[in-house]
Amino acid sequence: MAIVSIDGISLEISIALVDELEVGDCVLVHVGYALAKIDPTEAERTLELLQELGSAGERGS
């Protein structure tokens, strides 16, 4: 088990499906499981895109 933090929200997840993780690694998380270790640059781009999509949704309401 591990604690992940996304935008200030912490969540305990299972890391049983991913080998060789270290503190500070970026992972793809789905329904409480780390599915894959991902590149930090790609993780940052993905978070930025999700934030933009969230902002666009708020403006469209």
Side-chain angles (χ1 to χ4, degrees), residues 11-18 27-36:
L11 176 69
E12 185 175 41
I13 63 163
S14 172
I15 56 172
L17 301 175
V18 183
V27 292
L28 175 65
V29 177
H30 182 65
V31 294
Y33 290 87
L35 299 180

Side-chain angles (χ1 to χ4, degrees), residues 2-49:
I3 303 294
V4 295
S5 179
I6 302 171
D7 284 341
I9 298 171
S10 295
L11 176 69
E12 185 175 41
I13 63 163
S14 172
I15 56 172
L17 301 175
V18 183
D19 293 329
E20 300 181 26
L21 288 177
E22 296 180 18
V23 172
D25 285 344
C26 295
V27 292
L28 175 65
V29 177
H30 182 65
V31 294
Y33 290 87
L35 299 180
K37 183 176 170 179
I38 59 175
D39 176 75
T41 303
E42 185 62 29
E44 188 63 35
R45 277 190 238 146
T46 301
L47 285 174
E48 289 171 3
L49 177 61

